[in-house]
Amino acid sequence: QVQLVESGGGLVQPGGSLRLSCAASGFTADYYAIGWFRQAPGKEREGVSCISYDSTTYYLNSVKGRFTITKDKAENIVTLQMTGLKPEDAGTYYCVSDWKTRCGSTWLTDSYAYWGKGTQVTVSS
């Protein structure tokens, strides 16, 4: 059974950092593309980052240079390191996956079969 469990969310001041983790079970995350999406209240859900099986990474333009996605093969975990957080980064962050190996150029709009329950990120002073 495929399961994605997010952790690491919390309250942080603008300019601060958080490290989100996505623990995968039921499959080997290293073999597939894993992504992070977020949704703020009253806003549409948007893709934040994605990492392919070969560790090729993709980022939403607004987070480039601030967020880093990585894989821990041994632990079957995908991590999103977020720095320089802004109030507009706040929202519920979801880990997503599907049975595909590459994120591809359409990763922002693709559908994903598997979603975690999310972890809340609040950026406020």
mmCIF file with all atom_site columns, all heavy atoms in Angstrom, residues 2 26-35 50-56 71 76 78 96-103:
data_model
loop_
_atom_site.group_PDB
_atom_site.id
_atom_site.type_symbol
_atom_site.label_atom_id
_atom_site.label_alt_id
_atom_site.label_comp_id
_atom_site.label_asym_id
_atom_site.label_entity_id
_atom_site.label_seq_id
_atom_site.pdbx_PDB_ins_code
_atom_site.Cartn_x
_atom_site.Cartn_y
_atom_site.Cartn_z
_atom_site.occupancy
_atom_site.B_iso_or_equiv
_atom_site.pdbx_formal_charge
_atom_site.auth_seq_id
_atom_site.auth_comp_id
_atom_site.auth_asym_id
_atom_site.auth_atom_id
_atom_site.pdbx_PDB_model_num
ATOM 1   N N   . VAL A 1 2   ? 0.664  2.090  -0.993  1.00 0.00 ? 2   VAL A N   1
ATOM 2   C CA  . VAL A 1 2   ? 1.450  3.314  -1.099  1.00 0.00 ? 2   VAL A CA  1
ATOM 3   C C   . VAL A 1 2   ? 0.993  4.309  -0.045  1.00 0.00 ? 2   VAL A C   1
ATOM 4   O O   . VAL A 1 2   ? -0.202 4.550  0.136   1.00 0.00 ? 2   VAL A O   1
ATOM 5   C CB  . VAL A 1 2   ? 1.297  3.927  -2.498  1.00 0.00 ? 2   VAL A CB  1
ATOM 6   C CG1 . VAL A 1 2   ? 1.942  5.314  -2.558  1.00 0.00 ? 2   VAL A CG1 1
ATOM 7   C CG2 . VAL A 1 2   ? 1.913  3.012  -3.548  1.00 0.00 ? 2   VAL A CG2 1
ATOM 8   N N   . GLY A 1 26  ? 5.592  1.525  0.901   1.00 0.00 ? 26  GLY A N   1
ATOM 9   C CA  . GLY A 1 26  ? 4.844  0.772  -0.093  1.00 0.00 ? 26  GLY A CA  1
ATOM 10  C C   . GLY A 1 26  ? 5.474  0.812  -1.475  1.00 0.00 ? 26  GLY A C   1
ATOM 11  O O   . GLY A 1 26  ? 4.998  0.141  -2.395  1.00 0.00 ? 26  GLY A O   1
ATOM 12  N N   . PHE A 1 27  ? 6.496  1.603  -1.620  1.00 0.00 ? 27  PHE A N   1
ATOM 13  C CA  . PHE A 1 27  ? 7.227  1.660  -2.890  1.00 0.00 ? 27  PHE A CA  1
ATOM 14  C C   . PHE A 1 27  ? 8.584  2.302  -2.615  1.00 0.00 ? 27  PHE A C   1
ATOM 15  O O   . PHE A 1 27  ? 8.812  2.898  -1.568  1.00 0.00 ? 27  PHE A O   1
ATOM 16  C CB  . PHE A 1 27  ? 6.455  2.453  -3.947  1.00 0.00 ? 27  PHE A CB  1
ATOM 17  C CG  . PHE A 1 27  ? 6.426  3.949  -3.722  1.00 0.00 ? 27  PHE A CG  1
ATOM 18  C CD1 . PHE A 1 27  ? 7.141  4.816  -4.532  1.00 0.00 ? 27  PHE A CD1 1
ATOM 19  C CD2 . PHE A 1 27  ? 5.673  4.496  -2.683  1.00 0.00 ? 27  PHE A CD2 1
ATOM 20  C CE1 . PHE A 1 27  ? 7.103  6.186  -4.337  1.00 0.00 ? 27  PHE A CE1 1
ATOM 21  C CE2 . PHE A 1 27  ? 5.632  5.869  -2.465  1.00 0.00 ? 27  PHE A CE2 1
ATOM 22  C CZ  . PHE A 1 27  ? 6.353  6.710  -3.298  1.00 0.00 ? 27  PHE A CZ  1
ATOM 23  N N   . THR A 1 28  ? 9.488  2.171  -3.576  1.00 0.00 ? 28  THR A N   1
ATOM 24  C CA  . THR A 1 28  ? 10.822 2.754  -3.437  1.00 0.00 ? 28  THR A CA  1
ATOM 25  C C   . THR A 1 28  ? 10.818 4.130  -4.078  1.00 0.00 ? 28  THR A C   1
ATOM 26  O O   . THR A 1 28  ? 10.762 4.266  -5.298  1.00 0.00 ? 28  THR A O   1
ATOM 27  C CB  . THR A 1 28  ? 11.873 1.850  -4.104  1.00 0.00 ? 28  THR A CB  1
ATOM 28  O OG1 . THR A 1 28  ? 11.813 0.550  -3.514  1.00 0.00 ? 28  THR A OG1 1
ATOM 29  C CG2 . THR A 1 28  ? 13.266 2.438  -3.912  1.00 0.00 ? 28  THR A CG2 1
ATOM 30  N N   . ALA A 1 29  ? 10.878 5.148  -3.245  1.00 0.00 ? 29  ALA A N   1
ATOM 31  C CA  . ALA A 1 29  ? 10.771 6.521  -3.736  1.00 0.00 ? 29  ALA A CA  1
ATOM 32  C C   . ALA A 1 29  ? 11.866 6.862  -4.732  1.00 0.00 ? 29  ALA A C   1
ATOM 33  O O   . ALA A 1 29  ? 11.673 7.685  -5.626  1.00 0.00 ? 29  ALA A O   1
ATOM 34  C CB  . ALA A 1 29  ? 10.806 7.492  -2.558  1.00 0.00 ? 29  ALA A CB  1
ATOM 35  N N   . ASP A 1 30  ? 13.018 6.217  -4.592  1.00 0.00 ? 30  ASP A N   1
ATOM 36  C CA  . ASP A 1 30  ? 14.141 6.525  -5.465  1.00 0.00 ? 30  ASP A CA  1
ATOM 37  C C   . ASP A 1 30  ? 13.846 6.167  -6.922  1.00 0.00 ? 30  ASP A C   1
ATOM 38  O O   . ASP A 1 30  ? 14.487 6.695  -7.835  1.00 0.00 ? 30  ASP A O   1
ATOM 39  C CB  . ASP A 1 30  ? 15.383 5.773  -4.983  1.00 0.00 ? 30  ASP A CB  1
ATOM 40  C CG  . ASP A 1 30  ? 16.642 6.242  -5.667  1.00 0.00 ? 30  ASP A CG  1
ATOM 41  O OD1 . ASP A 1 30  ? 16.766 7.476  -5.879  1.00 0.00 ? 30  ASP A OD1 1
ATOM 42  O OD2 . ASP A 1 30  ? 17.494 5.397  -6.009  1.00 0.00 ? 30  ASP A OD2 1
ATOM 43  N N   . TYR A 1 31  ? 12.886 5.300  -7.162  1.00 0.00 ? 31  TYR A N   1
ATOM 44  C CA  . TYR A 1 31  ? 12.594 4.852  -8.525  1.00 0.00 ? 31  TYR A CA  1
ATOM 45  C C   . TYR A 1 31  ? 11.575 5.737  -9.231  1.00 0.00 ? 31  TYR A C   1
ATOM 46  O O   . TYR A 1 31  ? 11.344 5.586  -10.437 1.00 0.00 ? 31  TYR A O   1
ATOM 47  C CB  . TYR A 1 31  ? 12.053 3.433  -8.506  1.00 0.00 ? 31  TYR A CB  1
ATOM 48  C CG  . TYR A 1 31  ? 13.009 2.376  -8.011  1.00 0.00 ? 31  TYR A CG  1
ATOM 49  C CD1 . TYR A 1 31  ? 12.543 1.101  -7.685  1.00 0.00 ? 31  TYR A CD1 1
ATOM 50  C CD2 . TYR A 1 31  ? 14.363 2.636  -7.860  1.00 0.00 ? 31  TYR A CD2 1
ATOM 51  C CE1 . TYR A 1 31  ? 13.402 0.120  -7.232  1.00 0.00 ? 31  TYR A CE1 1
ATOM 52  C CE2 . TYR A 1 31  ? 15.225 1.664  -7.402  1.00 0.00 ? 31  TYR A CE2 1
ATOM 53  C CZ  . TYR A 1 31  ? 14.744 0.407  -7.091  1.00 0.00 ? 31  TYR A CZ  1
ATOM 54  O OH  . TYR A 1 31  ? 15.595 -0.559 -6.634  1.00 0.00 ? 31  TYR A OH  1
ATOM 55  N N   . TYR A 1 32  ? 10.952 6.645  -8.508  1.00 0.00 ? 32  TYR A N   1
ATOM 56  C CA  . TYR A 1 32  ? 9.839  7.410  -9.058  1.00 0.00 ? 32  TYR A CA  1
ATOM 57  C C   . TYR A 1 32  ? 9.980  8.907  -8.785  1.00 0.00 ? 32  TYR A C   1
ATOM 58  O O   . TYR A 1 32  ? 10.732 9.318  -7.911  1.00 0.00 ? 32  TYR A O   1
ATOM 59  C CB  . TYR A 1 32  ? 8.515  6.912  -8.479  1.00 0.00 ? 32  TYR A CB  1
ATOM 60  C CG  . TYR A 1 32  ? 8.236  5.473  -8.806  1.00 0.00 ? 32  TYR A CG  1
ATOM 61  C CD1 . TYR A 1 32  ? 8.560  4.465  -7.906  1.00 0.00 ? 32  TYR A CD1 1
ATOM 62  C CD2 . TYR A 1 32  ? 7.670  5.119  -10.035 1.00 0.00 ? 32  TYR A CD2 1
ATOM 63  C CE1 . TYR A 1 32  ? 8.330  3.135  -8.214  1.00 0.00 ? 32  TYR A CE1 1
ATOM 64  C CE2 . TYR A 1 32  ? 7.436  3.790  -10.351 1.00 0.00 ? 32  TYR A CE2 1
ATOM 65  C CZ  . TYR A 1 32  ? 7.778  2.812  -9.439  1.00 0.00 ? 32  TYR A CZ  1
ATOM 66  O OH  . TYR A 1 32  ? 7.544  1.499  -9.751  1.00 0.00 ? 32  TYR A OH  1
ATOM 67  N N   . ALA A 1 33  ? 9.229  9.661  -9.547  1.00 0.00 ? 33  ALA A N   1
ATOM 68  C CA  . ALA A 1 33  ? 9.178  11.103 -9.323  1.00 0.00 ? 33  ALA A CA  1
ATOM 69  C C   . ALA A 1 33  ? 8.339  11.396 -8.075  1.00 0.00 ? 33  ALA A C   1
ATOM 70  O O   . ALA A 1 33  ? 7.266  10.821 -7.894  1.00 0.00 ? 33  ALA A O   1
ATOM 71  C CB  . ALA A 1 33  ? 8.570  11.807 -10.530 1.00 0.00 ? 33  ALA A CB  1
ATOM 72  N N   . ILE A 1 34  ? 8.840  12.284 -7.242  1.00 0.00 ? 34  ILE A N   1
ATOM 73  C CA  . ILE A 1 34  ? 8.136  12.715 -6.027  1.00 0.00 ? 34  ILE A CA  1
ATOM 74  C C   . ILE A 1 34  ? 8.040  14.240 -6.068  1.00 0.00 ? 34  ILE A C   1
ATOM 75  O O   . ILE A 1 34  ? 9.032  14.912 -6.360  1.00 0.00 ? 34  ILE A O   1
ATOM 76  C CB  . ILE A 1 34  ? 8.896  12.307 -4.756  1.00 0.00 ? 34  ILE A CB  1
ATOM 77  C CG1 . ILE A 1 34  ? 9.168  10.797 -4.744  1.00 0.00 ? 34  ILE A CG1 1
ATOM 78  C CG2 . ILE A 1 34  ? 8.125  12.747 -3.525  1.00 0.00 ? 34  ILE A CG2 1
ATOM 79  C CD1 . ILE A 1 34  ? 7.961  9.945  -4.521  1.00 0.00 ? 34  ILE A CD1 1
ATOM 80  N N   . GLY A 1 35  ? 6.880  14.755 -5.752  1.00 0.00 ? 35  GLY A N   1
ATOM 81  C CA  . GLY A 1 35  ? 6.698  16.198 -5.795  1.00 0.00 ? 35  GLY A CA  1
ATOM 82  C C   . GLY A 1 35  ? 6.147  16.776 -4.517  1.00 0.00 ? 35  GLY A C   1
ATOM 83  O O   . GLY A 1 35  ? 5.672  16.043 -3.643  1.00 0.00 ? 35  GLY A O   1
ATOM 84  N N   . CYS A 1 50  ? 9.712  19.256 -7.608  1.00 0.00 ? 50  CYS A N   1
ATOM 85  C CA  . CYS A 1 50  ? 9.602  17.842 -7.991  1.00 0.00 ? 50  CYS A CA  1
ATOM 86  C C   . CYS A 1 50  ? 10.999 17.294 -8.222  1.00 0.00 ? 50  CYS A C   1
ATOM 87  O O   . CYS A 1 50  ? 11.898 18.036 -8.671  1.00 0.00 ? 50  CYS A O   1
ATOM 88  C CB  . CYS A 1 50  ? 8.752  17.717 -9.253  1.00 0.00 ? 50  CYS A CB  1
ATOM 89  S SG  . CYS A 1 50  ? 8.317  16.028 -9.709  1.00 0.00 ? 50  CYS A SG  1
ATOM 90  N N   . ILE A 1 51  ? 11.180 16.014 -7.906  1.00 0.00 ? 51  ILE A N   1
ATOM 91  C CA  . ILE A 1 51  ? 12.469 15.371 -8.134  1.00 0.00 ? 51  ILE A CA  1
ATOM 92  C C   . ILE A 1 51  ? 12.223 14.056 -8.854  1.00 0.00 ? 51  ILE A C   1
ATOM 93  O O   . ILE A 1 51  ? 11.399 13.241 -8.426  1.00 0.00 ? 51  ILE A O   1
ATOM 94  C CB  . ILE A 1 51  ? 13.244 15.176 -6.808  1.00 0.00 ? 51  ILE A CB  1
ATOM 95  C CG1 . ILE A 1 51  ? 14.644 14.628 -7.073  1.00 0.00 ? 51  ILE A CG1 1
ATOM 96  C CG2 . ILE A 1 51  ? 12.478 14.307 -5.813  1.00 0.00 ? 51  ILE A CG2 1
ATOM 97  C CD1 . ILE A 1 51  ? 15.569 14.760 -5.861  1.00 0.00 ? 51  ILE A CD1 1
ATOM 98  N N   . SER A 1 52  ? 12.920 13.876 -9.955  1.00 0.00 ? 52  SER A N   1
ATOM 99  C CA  . SER A 1 52  ? 12.776 12.666 -10.751 1.00 0.00 ? 52  SER A CA  1
ATOM 100 C C   . SER A 1 52  ? 13.619 11.521 -10.188 1.00 0.00 ? 52  SER A C   1
ATOM 101 O O   . SER A 1 52  ? 14.426 11.720 -9.271  1.00 0.00 ? 52  SER A O   1
ATOM 102 C CB  . SER A 1 52  ? 13.205 12.935 -12.195 1.00 0.00 ? 52  SER A CB  1
ATOM 103 O OG  . SER A 1 52  ? 12.340 13.862 -12.810 1.00 0.00 ? 52  SER A OG  1
ATOM 104 N N   . TYR A 1 53  ? 13.458 10.341 -10.789 1.00 0.00 ? 53  TYR A N   1
ATOM 105 C CA  . TYR A 1 53  ? 14.192 9.170  -10.319 1.00 0.00 ? 53  TYR A CA  1
ATOM 106 C C   . TYR A 1 53  ? 15.702 9.372  -10.410 1.00 0.00 ? 53  TYR A C   1
ATOM 107 O O   . TYR A 1 53  ? 16.463 8.834  -9.612  1.00 0.00 ? 53  TYR A O   1
ATOM 108 C CB  . TYR A 1 53  ? 13.782 7.944  -11.137 1.00 0.00 ? 53  TYR A CB  1
ATOM 109 C CG  . TYR A 1 53  ? 14.503 7.827  -12.451 1.00 0.00 ? 53  TYR A CG  1
ATOM 110 C CD1 . TYR A 1 53  ? 15.576 6.970  -12.602 1.00 0.00 ? 53  TYR A CD1 1
ATOM 111 C CD2 . TYR A 1 53  ? 14.138 8.616  -13.537 1.00 0.00 ? 53  TYR A CD2 1
ATOM 112 C CE1 . TYR A 1 53  ? 16.256 6.885  -13.800 1.00 0.00 ? 53  TYR A CE1 1
ATOM 113 C CE2 . TYR A 1 53  ? 14.808 8.550  -14.733 1.00 0.00 ? 53  TYR A CE2 1
ATOM 114 C CZ  . TYR A 1 53  ? 15.876 7.676  -14.864 1.00 0.00 ? 53  TYR A CZ  1
ATOM 115 O OH  . TYR A 1 53  ? 16.556 7.611  -16.046 1.00 0.00 ? 53  TYR A OH  1
ATOM 116 N N   . ASP A 1 54  ? 16.126 10.195 -11.390 1.00 0.00 ? 54  ASP A N   1
ATOM 117 C CA  . ASP A 1 54  ? 17.562 10.427 -11.597 1.00 0.00 ? 54  ASP A CA  1
ATOM 118 C C   . ASP A 1 54  ? 18.039 11.686 -10.875 1.00 0.00 ? 54  ASP A C   1
ATOM 119 O O   . ASP A 1 54  ? 19.122 12.192 -11.167 1.00 0.00 ? 54  ASP A O   1
ATOM 120 C CB  . ASP A 1 54  ? 17.862 10.531 -13.092 1.00 0.00 ? 54  ASP A CB  1
ATOM 121 C CG  . ASP A 1 54  ? 17.110 11.679 -13.760 1.00 0.00 ? 54  ASP A CG  1
ATOM 122 O OD1 . ASP A 1 54  ? 16.311 12.349 -13.078 1.00 0.00 ? 54  ASP A OD1 1
ATOM 123 O OD2 . ASP A 1 54  ? 17.317 11.896 -14.963 1.00 0.00 ? 54  ASP A OD2 1
ATOM 124 N N   . SER A 1 55  ? 17.210 12.168 -9.943  1.00 0.00 ? 55  SER A N   1
ATOM 125 C CA  . SER A 1 55  ? 17.513 13.349 -9.117  1.00 0.00 ? 55  SER A CA  1
ATOM 126 C C   . SER A 1 55  ? 17.466 14.667 -9.876  1.00 0.00 ? 55  SER A C   1
ATOM 127 O O   . SER A 1 55  ? 17.911 15.695 -9.343  1.00 0.00 ? 55  SER A O   1
ATOM 128 C CB  . SER A 1 55  ? 18.852 13.195 -8.396  1.00 0.00 ? 55  SER A CB  1
ATOM 129 O OG  . SER A 1 55  ? 18.809 12.122 -7.483  1.00 0.00 ? 55  SER A OG  1
ATOM 130 N N   . THR A 1 56  ? 16.945 14.665 -11.095 1.00 0.00 ? 56  THR A N   1
ATOM 131 C CA  . THR A 1 56  ? 16.681 15.939 -11.764 1.00 0.00 ? 56  THR A CA  1
ATOM 132 C C   . THR A 1 56  ? 15.612 16.676 -10.979 1.00 0.00 ? 56  THR A C   1
ATOM 133 O O   . THR A 1 56  ? 14.610 16.082 -10.587 1.00 0.00 ? 56  THR A O   1
ATOM 134 C CB  . THR A 1 56  ? 16.186 15.702 -13.195 1.00 0.00 ? 56  THR A CB  1
ATOM 135 O OG1 . THR A 1 56  ? 17.165 14.948 -13.912 1.00 0.00 ? 56  THR A OG1 1
ATOM 136 C CG2 . THR A 1 56  ? 15.944 17.034 -13.904 1.00 0.00 ? 56  THR A CG2 1
ATOM 137 N N   . LYS A 1 71  ? 16.661 13.661 -2.054  1.00 0.00 ? 71  LYS A N   1
ATOM 138 C CA  . LYS A 1 71  ? 16.191 12.323 -1.703  1.00 0.00 ? 71  LYS A CA  1
ATOM 139 C C   . LYS A 1 71  ? 17.182 11.664 -0.763  1.00 0.00 ? 71  LYS A C   1
ATOM 140 O O   . LYS A 1 71  ? 18.383 11.780 -0.933  1.00 0.00 ? 71  LYS A O   1
ATOM 141 C CB  . LYS A 1 71  ? 16.057 11.453 -2.962  1.00 0.00 ? 71  LYS A CB  1
ATOM 142 C CG  . LYS A 1 71  ? 14.965 11.862 -3.890  1.00 0.00 ? 71  LYS A CG  1
ATOM 143 C CD  . LYS A 1 71  ? 14.728 10.799 -4.954  1.00 0.00 ? 71  LYS A CD  1
ATOM 144 C CE  . LYS A 1 71  ? 15.870 10.708 -5.922  1.00 0.00 ? 71  LYS A CE  1
ATOM 145 N NZ  . LYS A 1 71  ? 15.592 9.763  -7.019  1.00 0.00 ? 71  LYS A NZ  1
ATOM 146 N N   . ASN A 1 76  ? 14.271 6.281  2.340   1.00 0.00 ? 76  ASN A N   1
ATOM 147 C CA  . ASN A 1 76  ? 13.073 6.376  1.501   1.00 0.00 ? 76  ASN A CA  1
ATOM 148 C C   . ASN A 1 76  ? 12.296 7.654  1.815   1.00 0.00 ? 76  ASN A C   1
ATOM 149 O O   . ASN A 1 76  ? 11.064 7.639  1.946   1.00 0.00 ? 76  ASN A O   1
ATOM 150 C CB  . ASN A 1 76  ? 12.172 5.144  1.675   1.00 0.00 ? 76  ASN A CB  1
ATOM 151 C CG  . ASN A 1 76  ? 11.477 4.755  0.387   1.00 0.00 ? 76  ASN A CG  1
ATOM 152 O OD1 . ASN A 1 76  ? 11.995 4.966  -0.705  1.00 0.00 ? 76  ASN A OD1 1
ATOM 153 N ND2 . ASN A 1 76  ? 10.292 4.194  0.502   1.00 0.00 ? 76  ASN A ND2 1
ATOM 154 N N   . VAL A 1 78  ? 11.926 11.961 0.981   1.00 0.00 ? 78  VAL A N   1
ATOM 155 C CA  . VAL A 1 78  ? 12.200 13.128 0.144   1.00 0.00 ? 78  VAL A CA  1
ATOM 156 C C   . VAL A 1 78  ? 12.047 14.368 1.014   1.00 0.00 ? 78  VAL A C   1
ATOM 157 O O   . VAL A 1 78  ? 11.048 14.516 1.719   1.00 0.00 ? 78  VAL A O   1
ATOM 158 C CB  . VAL A 1 78  ? 11.249 13.192 -1.054  1.00 0.00 ? 78  VAL A CB  1
ATOM 159 C CG1 . VAL A 1 78  ? 11.431 14.499 -1.827  1.00 0.00 ? 78  VAL A CG1 1
ATOM 160 C CG2 . VAL A 1 78  ? 11.503 12.008 -1.981  1.00 0.00 ? 78  VAL A CG2 1
ATOM 161 N N   . VAL A 1 96  ? 3.489  14.325 -3.111  1.00 0.00 ? 96  VAL A N   1
ATOM 162 C CA  . VAL A 1 96  ? 2.683  13.625 -4.127  1.00 0.00 ? 96  VAL A CA  1
ATOM 163 C C   . VAL A 1 96  ? 3.562  12.685 -4.940  1.00 0.00 ? 96  VAL A C   1
ATOM 164 O O   . VAL A 1 96  ? 4.777  12.890 -5.061  1.00 0.00 ? 96  VAL A O   1
ATOM 165 C CB  . VAL A 1 96  ? 2.003  14.628 -5.080  1.00 0.00 ? 96  VAL A CB  1
ATOM 166 C CG1 . VAL A 1 96  ? 1.124  15.599 -4.309  1.00 0.00 ? 96  VAL A CG1 1
ATOM 167 C CG2 . VAL A 1 96  ? 3.020  15.375 -5.914  1.00 0.00 ? 96  VAL A CG2 1
ATOM 168 N N   . SER A 1 97  ? 2.919  11.680 -5.503  1.00 0.00 ? 97  SER A N   1
ATOM 169 C CA  . SER A 1 97  ? 3.626  10.771 -6.385  1.00 0.00 ? 97  SER A CA  1
ATOM 170 C C   . SER A 1 97  ? 2.649  10.062 -7.309  1.00 0.00 ? 97  SER A C   1
ATOM 171 O O   . SER A 1 97  ? 1.421  10.116 -7.113  1.00 0.00 ? 97  SER A O   1
ATOM 172 C CB  . SER A 1 97  ? 4.421  9.741  -5.573  1.00 0.00 ? 97  SER A CB  1
ATOM 173 O OG  . SER A 1 97  ? 5.254  8.982  -6.432  1.00 0.00 ? 97  SER A OG  1
ATOM 174 N N   . ASP A 1 98  ? 3.213  9.447  -8.307  1.00 0.00 ? 98  ASP A N   1
ATOM 175 C CA  . ASP A 1 98  ? 2.431  8.656  -9.240  1.00 0.00 ? 98  ASP A CA  1
ATOM 176 C C   . ASP A 1 98  ? 3.390  7.632  -9.841  1.00 0.00 ? 98  ASP A C   1
ATOM 177 O O   . ASP A 1 98  ? 4.600  7.710  -9.608  1.00 0.00 ? 98  ASP A O   1
ATOM 178 C CB  . ASP A 1 98  ? 1.836  9.558  -10.322 1.00 0.00 ? 98  ASP A CB  1
ATOM 179 C CG  . ASP A 1 98  ? 0.587  8.971  -10.927 1.00 0.00 ? 98  ASP A CG  1
ATOM 180 O OD1 . ASP A 1 98  ? 0.573  7.747  -11.176 1.00 0.00 ? 98  ASP A OD1 1
ATOM 181 O OD2 . ASP A 1 98  ? -0.374 9.723  -11.161 1.00 0.00 ? 98  ASP A OD2 1
ATOM 182 N N   . TRP A 1 99  ? 2.885  6.748  -10.603 1.00 0.00 ? 99  TRP A N   1
ATOM 183 C CA  . TRP A 1 99  ? 3.740  5.719  -11.167 1.00 0.00 ? 99  TRP A CA  1
ATOM 184 C C   . TRP A 1 99  ? 4.461  6.227  -12.412 1.00 0.00 ? 99  TRP A C   1
ATOM 185 O O   . TRP A 1 99  ? 4.303  5.717  -13.507 1.00 0.00 ? 99  TRP A O   1
ATOM 186 C CB  . TRP A 1 99  ? 2.940  4.467  -11.479 1.00 0.00 ? 99  TRP A CB  1
ATOM 187 C CG  . TRP A 1 99  ? 2.332  3.830  -10.282 1.00 0.00 ? 99  TRP A CG  1
ATOM 188 C CD1 . TRP A 1 99  ? 1.000  3.664  -10.041 1.00 0.00 ? 99  TRP A CD1 1
ATOM 189 C CD2 . TRP A 1 99  ? 3.014  3.297  -9.132  1.00 0.00 ? 99  TRP A CD2 1
ATOM 190 N NE1 . TRP A 1 99  ? 0.821  3.065  -8.822  1.00 0.00 ? 99  TRP A NE1 1
ATOM 191 C CE2 . TRP A 1 99  ? 2.032  2.812  -8.246  1.00 0.00 ? 99  TRP A CE2 1
ATOM 192 C CE3 . TRP A 1 99  ? 4.366  3.186  -8.767  1.00 0.00 ? 99  TRP A CE3 1
ATOM 193 C CZ2 . TRP A 1 99  ? 2.350  2.238  -7.017  1.00 0.00 ? 99  TRP A CZ2 1
ATOM 194 C CZ3 . TRP A 1 99  ? 4.683  2.600  -7.544  1.00 0.00 ? 99  TRP A CZ3 1
ATOM 195 C CH2 . TRP A 1 99  ? 3.685  2.134  -6.699  1.00 0.00 ? 99  TRP A CH2 1
ATOM 196 N N   . LYS A 1 100 ? 5.270  7.266  -12.199 1.00 0.00 ? 100 LYS A N   1
ATOM 197 C CA  . LYS A 1 100 ? 6.099  7.761  -13.285 1.00 0.00 ? 100 LYS A CA  1
ATOM 198 C C   . LYS A 1 100 ? 7.478  8.083  -12.728 1.00 0.00 ? 100 LYS A C   1
ATOM 199 O O   . LYS A 1 100 ? 7.618  8.434  -11.560 1.00 0.00 ? 100 LYS A O   1
ATOM 200 C CB  . LYS A 1 100 ? 5.487  8.993  -13.946 1.00 0.00 ? 100 LYS A CB  1
ATOM 201 C CG  . LYS A 1 100 ? 5.273  10.183 -13.024 1.00 0.00 ? 100 LYS A CG  1
ATOM 202 C CD  . LYS A 1 100 ? 4.672  11.349 -13.792 1.00 0.00 ? 100 LYS A CD  1
ATOM 203 C CE  . LYS A 1 100 ? 4.505  12.565 -12.907 1.00 0.00 ? 100 LYS A CE  1
ATOM 204 N NZ  . LYS A 1 100 ? 3.958  13.718 -13.647 1.00 0.00 ? 100 LYS A NZ  1
ATOM 205 N N   . THR A 1 101 ? 8.471  7.927  -13.581 1.00 0.00 ? 101 THR A N   1
ATOM 206 C CA  . THR A 1 101 ? 9.842  8.078  -13.103 1.00 0.00 ? 101 THR A CA  1
ATOM 207 C C   . THR A 1 101 ? 10.363 9.509  -13.209 1.00 0.00 ? 101 THR A C   1
ATOM 208 O O   . THR A 1 101 ? 11.238 9.907  -12.453 1.00 0.00 ? 101 THR A O   1
ATOM 209 C CB  . THR A 1 101 ? 10.773 7.158  -13.900 1.00 0.00 ? 101 THR A CB  1
ATOM 210 O OG1 . THR A 1 101 ? 10.674 7.483  -15.290 1.00 0.00 ? 101 THR A OG1 1
ATOM 211 C CG2 . THR A 1 101 ? 10.401 5.696  -13.677 1.00 0.00 ? 101 THR A CG2 1
ATOM 212 N N   . ARG A 1 102 ? 9.813  10.254 -14.156 1.00 0.00 ? 102 ARG A N   1
ATOM 213 C CA  . ARG A 1 102 ? 10.296 11.624 -14.365 1.00 0.00 ? 102 ARG A CA  1
ATOM 214 C C   . ARG A 1 102 ? 9.194  12.637 -14.066 1.00 0.00 ? 102 ARG A C   1
ATOM 215 O O   . ARG A 1 102 ? 8.029  12.400 -14.370 1.00 0.00 ? 102 ARG A O   1
ATOM 216 C CB  . ARG A 1 102 ? 10.755 11.801 -15.819 1.00 0.00 ? 102 ARG A CB  1
ATOM 217 C CG  . ARG A 1 102 ? 11.908 10.912 -16.220 1.00 0.00 ? 102 ARG A CG  1
ATOM 218 C CD  . ARG A 1 102 ? 12.281 11.152 -17.678 1.00 0.00 ? 102 ARG A CD  1
ATOM 219 N NE  . ARG A 1 102 ? 13.316 10.234 -18.133 1.00 0.00 ? 102 ARG A NE  1
ATOM 220 C CZ  . ARG A 1 102 ? 14.607 10.454 -17.999 1.00 0.00 ? 102 ARG A CZ  1
ATOM 221 N NH1 . ARG A 1 102 ? 15.021 11.571 -17.419 1.00 0.00 ? 102 ARG A NH1 1
ATOM 222 N NH2 . ARG A 1 102 ? 15.488 9.575  -18.440 1.00 0.00 ? 102 ARG A NH2 1
ATOM 223 N N   . CYS A 1 103 ? 9.605  13.773 -13.528 1.00 0.00 ? 103 CYS A N   1
ATOM 224 C CA  . CYS A 1 103 ? 8.653  14.845 -13.293 1.00 0.00 ? 103 CYS A CA  1
ATOM 225 C C   . CYS A 1 103 ? 8.176  15.375 -14.641 1.00 0.00 ? 103 CYS A C   1
ATOM 226 O O   . CYS A 1 103 ? 6.992  15.584 -14.859 1.00 0.00 ? 103 CYS A O   1
ATOM 227 C CB  . CYS A 1 103 ? 9.293  15.958 -12.483 1.00 0.00 ? 103 CYS A CB  1
ATOM 228 S SG  . CYS A 1 103 ? 9.931  15.421 -10.893 1.00 0.00 ? 103 CYS A SG  1
#
